[in-house]
CSV table of all heavy atoms in Angstrom, one decimal:
chain,number,residue,atom,x,y,z
A,233,GLY,N,26.0,-74.3,248.0
A,233,GLY,CA,25.2,-75.5,248.4
A,233,GLY,C,24.6,-75.3,249.8
A,233,GLY,O,23.4,-75.6,250.0
A,234,ALA,N,25.4,-74.8,250.7
A,234,ALA,CA,25.0,-74.7,252.1
A,234,ALA,C,24.0,-73.6,252.4
A,234,ALA,O,23.3,-73.6,253.4
A,234,ALA,CB,26.3,-74.6,253.0
A,235,THR,N,24.0,-72.6,251.5
A,235,THR,CA,23.1,-71.4,251.8
A,235,THR,C,21.8,-71.7,251.0
A,235,THR,O,21.7,-71.8,249.8
A,235,THR,CB,23.7,-70.1,251.3
A,235,THR,OG1,25.1,-70.0,251.7
A,235,THR,CG2,23.0,-68.9,251.8
A,236,LEU,N,20.7,-71.8,251.8
A,236,LEU,CA,19.4,-72.1,251.2
A,236,LEU,C,18.8,-70.9,250.5
A,236,LEU,O,19.2,-69.8,250.8
A,236,LEU,CB,18.5,-72.7,252.3
A,236,LEU,CG,19.0,-74.0,252.9
A,236,LEU,CD1,18.1,-74.6,253.9
A,236,LEU,CD2,19.2,-75.1,251.8
A,237,MET,N,17.9,-71.1,249.6
A,237,MET,CA,17.4,-70.0,248.8
A,237,MET,C,16.7,-68.9,249.6
A,237,MET,O,16.9,-67.7,249.4
A,237,MET,CB,16.4,-70.6,247.8
A,237,MET,CG,17.1,-71.5,246.7
A,237,MET,SD,18.6,-70.9,246.0
A,237,MET,CE,17.9,-69.7,244.8
A,238,PRO,N,15.9,-69.3,250.7
A,238,PRO,CA,15.3,-68.2,251.4
A,238,PRO,C,16.3,-67.3,252.1
A,238,PRO,O,17.3,-67.9,252.7
A,238,PRO,CB,14.4,-68.9,252.4
A,238,PRO,CG,14.1,-70.3,251.8
A,238,PRO,CD,15.4,-70.6,251.1
A,239,GLY,N,16.2,-66.0,252.0
A,239,GLY,CA,17.1,-65.2,252.7
A,239,GLY,C,18.5,-64.9,252.0
A,239,GLY,O,19.3,-64.2,252.4
A,240,ARG,N,18.6,-65.5,250.8
A,240,ARG,CA,19.8,-65.2,250.0
A,240,ARG,C,19.9,-63.7,249.6
A,240,ARG,O,18.8,-63.1,249.3
A,240,ARG,CB,19.9,-66.0,248.7
A,240,ARG,CG,20.4,-67.4,249.0
A,240,ARG,CD,21.0,-67.9,247.7
A,240,ARG,NE,21.3,-69.4,247.8
A,240,ARG,CZ,22.0,-70.0,246.9
A,240,ARG,NH1,22.3,-69.5,245.8
A,240,ARG,NH2,22.3,-71.3,247.1
A,241,LYS,N,21.0,-63.1,249.5
A,241,LYS,CA,21.2,-61.8,248.9
A,241,LYS,C,22.2,-61.9,247.7
A,241,LYS,O,23.3,-61.4,247.8
A,241,LYS,CB,21.7,-60.8,250.0
A,241,LYS,CG,20.6,-60.6,251.1
A,241,LYS,CD,21.0,-59.7,252.2
A,241,LYS,CE,20.0,-59.6,253.2
A,241,LYS,NZ,20.4,-58.8,254.4
A,242,ASP,N,21.7,-62.5,246.7
A,242,ASP,CA,22.6,-62.8,245.5
A,242,ASP,C,22.7,-61.5,244.7
A,242,ASP,O,21.7,-61.0,244.1
A,242,ASP,CB,21.9,-63.9,244.7
A,242,ASP,CG,22.7,-64.3,243.5
A,242,ASP,OD1,23.4,-63.5,242.9
A,242,ASP,OD2,22.6,-65.6,243.2
A,243,ALA,N,23.9,-61.0,244.7
A,243,ALA,CA,24.1,-59.7,243.9
A,243,ALA,C,23.9,-59.8,242.4
A,243,ALA,O,23.4,-58.9,241.8
A,243,ALA,CB,25.5,-59.2,244.2
A,244,LEU,N,24.2,-61.0,241.9
A,244,LEU,CA,24.0,-61.2,240.4
A,244,LEU,C,22.6,-61.3,240.0
A,244,LEU,O,22.2,-60.8,239.0
A,244,LEU,CB,24.8,-62.4,239.9
A,244,LEU,CG,24.8,-62.6,238.4
A,244,LEU,CD1,25.2,-61.4,237.6
A,244,LEU,CD2,25.6,-63.9,238.0
A,245,ALA,N,21.8,-62.0,240.9
A,245,ALA,CA,20.4,-62.1,240.6
A,245,ALA,C,19.7,-60.7,240.6
A,245,ALA,O,18.9,-60.4,239.7
A,245,ALA,CB,19.7,-63.1,241.6
A,246,ALA,N,20.1,-59.9,241.6
A,246,ALA,CA,19.6,-58.5,241.6
A,246,ALA,C,20.1,-57.7,240.4
A,246,ALA,O,19.3,-57.0,239.8
A,246,ALA,CB,20.1,-57.8,242.9
A,247,ALA,N,21.4,-57.9,240.0
A,247,ALA,CA,21.9,-57.2,238.8
A,247,ALA,C,21.1,-57.6,237.6
A,247,ALA,O,20.9,-56.7,236.7
A,247,ALA,CB,23.4,-57.4,238.7
A,248,ALA,N,20.8,-58.9,237.5
A,248,ALA,CA,20.1,-59.3,236.3
A,248,ALA,C,18.8,-58.6,236.2
A,248,ALA,O,18.4,-58.3,235.0
A,248,ALA,CB,19.8,-60.8,236.4
A,249,GLU,N,18.1,-58.3,237.3
A,249,GLU,CA,16.8,-57.6,237.2
A,249,GLU,C,17.1,-56.2,236.6
A,249,GLU,O,16.3,-55.6,235.8
A,249,GLU,CB,16.3,-57.4,238.6
A,249,GLU,CG,15.6,-58.6,239.1
A,249,GLU,CD,14.6,-58.3,240.2
A,249,GLU,OE1,13.8,-57.4,240.0
A,249,GLU,OE2,14.6,-59.0,241.3
A,250,LEU,N,18.3,-55.6,237.0
A,250,LEU,CA,18.6,-54.3,236.5
A,250,LEU,C,18.8,-54.2,235.0
A,250,LEU,O,18.5,-53.3,234.3
A,250,LEU,CB,19.8,-53.7,237.3
A,250,LEU,CG,19.6,-53.6,238.8
A,250,LEU,CD1,20.8,-53.1,239.5
A,250,LEU,CD2,18.4,-52.6,239.1
A,251,VAL,N,19.5,-55.2,234.6
A,251,VAL,CA,19.9,-55.4,233.1
A,251,VAL,C,18.6,-55.4,232.3
A,251,VAL,O,18.5,-54.6,231.3
A,251,VAL,CB,20.7,-56.6,232.9
A,251,VAL,CG1,21.0,-56.8,231.3
A,251,VAL,CG2,22.1,-56.5,233.5
A,252,LEU,N,17.6,-56.2,232.8
A,252,LEU,CA,16.4,-56.3,232.0
A,252,LEU,C,15.6,-55.1,232.1
A,252,LEU,O,14.9,-54.7,231.2
A,252,LEU,CB,15.6,-57.6,232.5
A,252,LEU,CG,16.3,-58.9,232.1
A,252,LEU,CD1,15.6,-60.1,232.8
A,252,LEU,CD2,16.5,-59.1,230.7
A,253,ALA,N,15.6,-54.5,233.3
A,253,ALA,CA,14.9,-53.2,233.5
A,253,ALA,C,15.4,-52.1,232.6
A,253,ALA,O,14.6,-51.3,232.0
A,253,ALA,CB,15.0,-52.7,235.0
Side-chain angles (χ1 to χ4, degrees):
T235 314
L236 299 177
M237 296 312 282
R240 277 199 189 194
K241 294 177 182 174
D242 183 326
L244 182 57
E249 286 203 46
L250 299 177
V251 173
L252 294 176

